[in-house]
């Protein structure tokens, strides 16, 4: 019943936008090139955290913090951070910055490594593509045009992106989370490419129907994020979203913030969406 009510409210909210078909256009700032995005922002080069970012999660819980490597000893080694609460609870896996150029995605992921949770276990891989994040200029790709988010479920004998995808996919299968977050950022509109703007992408909603609708509704009502988020489905073939949902039967939400918004707004929106879901799973207040 609650779900039906949510759906009706959602349709009512979205109808004007669908009917006009222009509201999204109107929200797009007049920016034509990628180069105009991501104005300088004050990062601490040691931690890769924004210096001027205020309080994000306010709760304090005792957690044990651990790390372990993916692809240890190789050129493509990366580190997963594990936050474990004293209280038993669900397991959630966060992958942030599979595309290295999507700064607010991995900034939010890095900030999550510092939160407390009251129950359960949180795995955080951020940035999932530190090679693209460290490139000059920052890059979506691992190297060349190898797109990590089109390389799942990966191949241990394949190219770099496929090897990394295989390591992430295998780790996720082993940890068997109830839910996976995949944090991204959307670029400006380009011909031949979907404009994702601010959106929440899913491939399956099995088991998370109510939570997803509540989440979307809160963004639409303006009570959670800076702007309403749209919904898209399914995730592209070879993406974490599509592969983990279809092959592992684990629901994934991909969060896209919009790269023309101010950096602190994008990071705050990423964190607000994550916090909403962690709260829904009883992992934070
Ligand atoms: Zn992306």
């Amino acid at each position: 019943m609650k779900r039906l009510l949510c759906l009706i409210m959602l349709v009512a909210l979205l109808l004007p936008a669908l009917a006009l078909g222009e509201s999204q256009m109107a929200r797009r700032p007049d920016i034509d090139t990628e180069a105009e995005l991501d104005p300088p922002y004050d990062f601490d080069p040691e931690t890769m955290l924004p210096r001027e970012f205020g309080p994000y999660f306010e709760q304090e819980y005792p957690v044990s913090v651990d790390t372990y490597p993916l692809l240890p000893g190789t050129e493509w080694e990366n580190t997963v951070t594990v936050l474990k609460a004293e209280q038993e609870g669900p397991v959630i896996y966060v992958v942030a910055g599979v595309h290295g150029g999507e700064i607010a995605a991995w900034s939010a992921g890095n900030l999550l490594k510092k939160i407390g949770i009251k129950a359960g276990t949180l795995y955080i891989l951020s940035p999932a593509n530190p090679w693209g994040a460290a490139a000059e200029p920052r890059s979506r790709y691992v190297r060349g045009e190898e797109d990590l988010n089109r390389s799942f479920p990966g191949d241990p004998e394949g190219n770099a992106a496929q090897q990394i995808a295989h390591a992430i996919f295998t780790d996720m299968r082993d940890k068997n989370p109830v839910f996976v977050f995949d944090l991204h950022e959307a670029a400006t509109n380009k011909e031949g490419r979907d404009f994702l703007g601010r959106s929440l992408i899913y491939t399956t909603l099995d088991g998370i129907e109510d939570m997803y609708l509540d989440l979307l509704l809160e963004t639409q009502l303006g009570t959670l994020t800076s702007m309403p988020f749209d919904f898209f489905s399914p995730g592209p073939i070879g993406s974490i979203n599509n592969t983990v949902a279809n092959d592992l039967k684990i629901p994934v939400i991909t969060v896209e913030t919009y790269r023309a918004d101010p950096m602190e707004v994008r990071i705050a929106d990423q964190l607000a969406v994550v916090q909403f879901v962690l709260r829904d799973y009883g992992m934070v207040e």
Side-chain angles (χ1 to χ4, degrees):
M1 192 59 210
K2 185 181 168 204
R3 195 176 143 199
L4 185 65
L5 196 65
C6 276
L7 196 60
I8 291 166
M9 287 174 72
L10 195 64
V11 169
L13 277 164
L14 293 177
L15 260 183
L18 293 172
L20 288 171
E22 298 207 347
S23 67
Q24 192 159 307
M25 293 290 286
R27 293 209 302 267
R28 290 178 201 167
D30 186 19
I31 295 178
D32 294 327
T33 69
E34 298 285 311
E36 290 176 70
L37 298 173
D38 297 332
Y41 195 73
D42 194 14
F43 280 94
D44 180 335
E46 288 285 305
T47 60
M48 289 307 278
L49 290 173
R51 284 186 215 270
E52 298 296 329
F53 204 77
Y56 42 107
F57 281 29
E58 283 166 14
Q59 70 283 356
E60 285 181 24
Y61 301 108
V63 286
S64 69
V65 183
D66 205 358
T67 62
Y68 62 89
L70 294 181
L71 296 171
T74 72
E75 192 184 346
W76 310 108
E77 179 169 335
N78 202 353
T79 303
V80 179
T81 300
V82 192
L83 308 183
K84 199 165 174 43
E86 287 185 342
Q87 199 182 316
E88 290 287 306
V91 174
I92 286 184
Y93 204 123
V94 180
V95 180
V98 158
H99 293 138
E102 296 168 9
I103 300 174
W106 49 255
S107 294
N110 290 349
L111 286 166
L112 286 171
K113 295 174 190 174
K114 296 173 175 293
I115 69 167
I117 49 173
K118 69 169 186 172
T121 307
L122 194 61
Y123 291 89
I124 303 159
L125 179 62
S126 175
N129 176 3
W131 310 280
E136 197 56 61
R138 287 196 179 90
S139 169
R140 169 185 181 91
Y141 303 107
V142 173
R143 70 174 175 192
E145 293 202 347
E146 294 178 27
D147 190 334
L148 183 52
N149 209 33
R150 298 293 182 275
S151 303
F152 284 82
D155 178 355
E157 308 296 330
N159 66 25
Q162 290 166 331
Q163 289 179 43
I164 296 160
H166 179 261
I168 297 171
F169 183 79
T170 307
D171 192 49
M172 230 172 244
R173 189 185 59 204
D174 293 347
K175 302 305 183 295
N176 194 25
V178 293
F179 179 85
V180 169
F181 257 124
D182 174 36
L183 308 184
H184 284 254
E185 292 217 275
T188 46
N189 197 30
K190 279 209 183 94
E191 222 171 295
R193 206 164 81 185
D194 289 338
F195 175 75
L196 296 171
R198 309 161 193 86
S199 58
L200 302 168
I201 303 167
Y202 65 91
T203 296
T204 171
L205 290 178
D206 282 354
I208 61 164
E209 301 90 340
D210 288 354
M211 189 261 286
Y212 184 84
L213 282 174
D214 288 347
L215 173 59
L216 199 58
L217 196 59
E218 284 222 32
T219 75
Q220 293 286 332
L221 293 171
T223 47
L224 187 68
T225 49
S226 62
M227 295 283 279
F229 277 54
D230 296 316
F231 58 94
F232 291 97
S233 182
I237 300 296
S239 66
I240 289 187
N241 191 301
N242 192 299
T243 312
V244 170
N246 281 322
D247 295 5
L248 301 181
K249 308 296 177 204
I250 299 170
V252 183
I253 292 180
T254 296
V255 183
E256 298 272 3
T257 44
Y258 182 36
R259 287 177 58 186
D261 288 337
M263 183 69 74
E264 55 270 39
V265 169
R266 292 145 56 186
I267 296 172
D269 281 353
Q270 293 270 356
L271 290 171
V273 171
V274 172
Q275 188 168 21
F276 181 95
V277 172
L278 294 185
R279 192 181 296 129
D280 194 80
Y281 279 97
M283 294 170 76
V284 300
E285 290 296 337

